Amino acid sequence: MIAIEVDSGFQGIQHQYENIRIPHKKTKGGELSEQQKSENKKLSQSRVICENAFAGVKRYGALSQIYRNHAY
C-alpha cells in the first residue's frame, strides 16, 4: 500500500483513508518532541520533490494547453 503524504491543510482526511501521513501539530502552548520534529522533517523532505514537480507542470502550463500534435 502506498502512503499518501499531505500537509496540514488536509486535517480530517485521515478518517477516510488509513494510509495517510500528516505532519504533527504542536499543541496550544506546547512544543513538539524531538521525534515528532524529525518525523515532520522527513515528511517535508519527501514531499518537496513532488511539490516542485507540480509547480513545474503549472509553470509551463503543460496541462492547460491543447495537445495539437496529431499523427494522421
Side-chain angles (χ1 to χ4, degrees):
M1 187 177 298
I2 298 173
I4 301 171
E5 298 175 341
V6 297
D7 61 1
S8 299
F10 289 91
Q11 293 293 320
I13 197 170
Q14 70 268 22
H15 302 297
Q16 297 174 357
Y17 302 99
E18 59 189 36
N19 54 341
I20 299 291
R21 291 184 60 203
I22 297 179
H24 300 283
K25 292 175 68 174
K26 91 176 174 77
T27 59
K28 191 172 186 177
E31 293 295 325
L32 292 177
S33 68
E34 291 301 319
Q35 180 183 3
Q36 289 174 325
K37 287 181 183 180
S38 68
E39 289 174 5
N40 283 353
K41 186 173 181 178
K42 287 178 186 176
L43 179 62
S44 107
Q45 286 174 345
S46 66
R47 285 189 62 239
V48 73
I49 297 168
C50 293
E51 294 294 331
N52 288 341
F54 291 151
V57 169
K58 289 180 181 180
R59 184 181 319 115
Y60 294 115
L63 299 176
S64 63
Q65 303 296 323
I66 299 172
Y67 182 68
R68 299 175 188 263
N69 189 12
H70 298 289
Y72 294 103

